[in-house]
Amino acid sequence: MDHADDAVPIAELLDERRHLLDVAYWMLGSSSAAESVIDETYRRWYELSDPARKEITAPRSWLAKVAGSICLARLALPERDKDRAGQGLNGQAGSERDGLLQEEISSVLLEALDSLSPAERAAFVLNDVFGMAPGAVADIVRQTEPECAELADRARRSLRDRRARPTPPQQHDGVAHAVCQACAMEDETLLASLLAPDVTAFFDGGGKVRALVKPVHGNTQVAHSLLTLLTRQPRTALHTHSVNGRTGLVVRYDHQVAAVISLDIAGPHVVQVWIILNPDKLRTWNQPGDPLDPPTTPNNSGRVPGE
């Protein structure tokens, strides 16, 4: 049989493997364990018959689903079995890869992920970090889509509670308004100074808009990403507004809410940013005949220039 049509560009092959390694690393927190999972994932791919592989229309999605399932199974193993399952890389290679990934993934966040149950961690990582479709997440976690959504919500609440120390409402409001003003003025240096050095921003597009797929880490990187998202455009406005009971930010485009930004604040800095861009999750903010309340403090609300 001629398999010439099965050839794949090398860049696509490397990008695919990198994506799978990222999924496994986020779920397991170990480079050697991630490499082991991806080796097993590809082994299962090549164990398929030629006709079975031909029926898979999206190999990358299939591989990601298999990798996620293997990770979830390993998360449920006792610690000694996890270590055994993760063996495979030599110490130097594993250390090098850990170093590279630690530049992209906050060690504080990885530590916080360890506090989640296997199902919560899987639902959160696959949904929030990699933007997998709800059906695919449900297949991996082996629960219904609503149950997976609840798992992810519980994970978000747990991460917020772990990161954020109690902040007086007045101090929270002051930081939130300062963030809004910095965004409105497009002052990246000022905005970065309001963010914790290890701040993480999550962009939830739900696969419905072309949002960033992976979280962004670090105050300069998050500041740059936020200002890029809020780049000055006509008919766009940014205001402070109550979000989840605390002052956050709301972005309107042509008077429709296009994004809702909640801020987890500890002391004088923002430690986590949650940007909701998923149109499905914004429907309650855009109910016909049910206008939003005025901004928290109208005289101090920010506006993106060009409104």
Side-chain angles (χ1 to χ4, degrees):
M1 181 183 294
D2 186 0
H3 294 282
D5 291 340
D6 296 334
V8 178
I10 191 170
E12 185 176 332
L13 291 174
L14 295 176
D15 182 64
E16 174 185 274
R17 183 173 177 82
R18 172 70 189 198
H19 173 74
L20 296 175
L21 283 168
D22 285 347
V23 170
Y25 187 87
W26 268 92
M27 290 188 67
L28 300 178
S30 163
S31 63
S32 59
E35 291 276 3
S36 175
V37 164
I38 303 316
D39 288 347
E40 173 67 13
T41 299
Y42 280 112
R43 185 184 68 78
R44 294 187 186 184
W45 168 262
Y46 287 110
E47 283 181 345
L48 296 173
S49 65
D50 286 344
R53 280 199 297 272
K54 286 287 188 183
E55 291 179 1
I56 299 174
T57 57
R60 179 164 164 162
S61 296
W62 185 92
L63 291 164
K65 186 181 295 186
V66 171
S69 297
I70 296 171
C71 288
L72 184 58
R74 293 192 180 182
L75 284 170
L77 289 173
E79 286 299 324
R80 64 179 184 278
D81 294 329
K82 288 182 190 177
D83 293 339
R84 189 177 300 119
Q87 292 173 356
L89 276 183
N90 65 57
Q92 181 179 2
S95 176
E96 289 175 356
R97 179 160 178 80
D98 274 332
L100 290 172
L101 285 167
Q102 286 293 348
E103 293 178 3
E104 299 179 10
I105 303 176
S106 165
S107 59
V108 176
L109 180 58
L110 281 176
E111 182 181 343
L113 287 173
D114 286 339
S115 69
L116 304 176
S117 71
E120 287 172 342
R121 181 165 181 159
F124 173 77
V125 167
L126 298 175
N127 181 81
D128 286 43
V129 180
F130 291 97
M132 284 192 183
V137 177
D139 286 344
I140 293 171
V141 182
R142 296 184 180 179
Q143 298 197 38
T144 65
E145 290 185 23
E147 288 171 336
C148 287
E150 175 58 28
L151 286 170
D153 282 339
R154 285 211 306 266
R156 294 183 200 105
R157 289 195 296 270
S158 178
L159 292 175
R160 285 171 172 165
D161 292 343
R162 188 177 177 89
R163 286 299 311 273
R165 300 182 293 275
T167 301
Q170 185 174 3
Q171 184 179 23
H172 181 106
D173 292 349
V175 175
H177 287 301
V179 168
C180 188
Q181 290 289 348
C183 290
M185 295 186 296
E186 299 182 322
D187 189 332
E188 188 168 327
T189 301
L190 175 59
L191 179 57
S193 73
L194 297 167
L195 308 176
D198 63 345
V199 63
T200 300
F202 297 91
F203 295 78
D204 179 5
K208 304 295 180 70
V209 296
R210 197 155 49 87
L212 291 176
V213 175
K214 297 179 183 178
V216 177
H217 309 287
N219 55 352
T220 57
Q221 294 88 342
V222 170
H224 179 74
S225 297
L226 278 176
L227 292 185
T228 299
L229 179 70
L230 302 173
T231 297
R232 182 189 314 181
Q233 295 288 344
R235 307 189 304 280
T236 301
L238 171 69
H239 300 280
T240 52
H241 195 280
S242 177
V243 179
N244 297 326
R246 284 291 184 101
T247 302
L249 310 178
V250 172
V251 184
R252 295 183 181 89
Y253 182 75
D254 276 345
H255 306 293
Q256 288 287 302
V257 173
V260 172
I261 303 173
S262 60
L263 306 169
D264 294 341
I265 296 172
H269 294 112
V270 178
V271 294
Q272 283 179 165
V273 184
W274 305 78
I275 303 99
I276 304 300
L277 297 157
N278 184 345
D280 294 341
K281 294 184 179 180
L282 296 175
R283 284 176 182 167
T284 56
W285 291 81
N286 287 309
Q287 293 293 339
D290 184 20
L292 288 172
D293 296 330
T296 319
T297 52
N299 292 333
N300 197 28
S301 63
R303 294 175 181 271
V304 175
E307 179 186 6

